[in-house]
Amino acid sequence: MVSLEISYLDLNYMMLFLIASLCFVSYIWIRESIKGLSVGLLEDLFKTFLWIIRWGFLYAVWLFVVGVEYFEISIDPSLKSLLDSIFLAILFMIISYTATKMQSLGKIYGFKNK
């Protein structure tokens, strides 16, 4: 029988790599789709999606760099917690901004809330 021993950190790093990779690929796909849009609200909406993807990529890279011992970066846990909170707060601000763009787009095209 084959024994697979995967540590928690290995799995964590693999997930961070997967998140960063998906952010990178999504960024490229959305950038290409924006080229086909006319100037207006749809283009603005897609650009805010790009900000979410960029920020997700930066956050995944941040977590990877702080977590890997190879870089020898030692950060006080309270400072790391503060920086993580700032990253997440900015991410949710971008998501809230995107939601307002989607709401205004829905009003223009006549979508109704139930």
Side-chain angles (χ1 to χ4, degrees):
M1 172 152 284
V2 177
S3 172
L4 292 175
E5 290 192 28
I6 298 176
S7 73
Y8 169 75
L9 288 177
D10 291 339
L11 187 60
N12 191 24
Y13 297 151
M14 188 170 59
M15 292 305 294
L16 289 174
F17 178 76
L18 180 65
I19 290 169
S21 300
L22 288 173
C23 286
F24 184 73
V25 169
S26 298
Y27 178 80
I28 292 172
W29 284 343
I30 290 179
R31 284 291 292 167
E32 289 301 313
S33 64
I34 286 175
K35 290 179 183 177
L37 294 175
S38 61
V39 176
L41 285 176
L42 279 176
E43 184 181 17
D44 290 343
L45 179 66
F46 274 76
K47 285 182 180 180
T48 59
F49 286 146
L50 283 179
W51 275 106
I52 293 171
I53 292 168
R54 286 179 194 140
W55 205 252
F57 178 77
L58 286 174
Y59 188 60
V61 169
W62 159 253
L63 289 177
F64 181 75
V65 167
V66 170
V68 173
E69 296 165 359
Y70 175 74
F71 295 108
E72 297 179 11
I73 296 175
S74 62
I75 295 179
D76 183 39
S78 61
L79 179 62
K80 183 185 177 303
S81 177
L82 175 67
L83 292 174
D84 285 345
S85 299
I86 291 171
F87 260 110
L88 291 175
I90 291 173
L91 175 66
F92 283 110
M93 285 186 341
I94 296 169
I95 290 171
S96 297
Y97 179 73
T98 304
T100 59
K101 286 284 188 181
M102 292 176 77
Q103 184 181 20
S104 63
L105 192 67
K107 286 179 184 176
I108 290 172
Y109 288 105
F111 299 123
K112 295 181 181 179
N113 294 333
K114 289 189 177 188

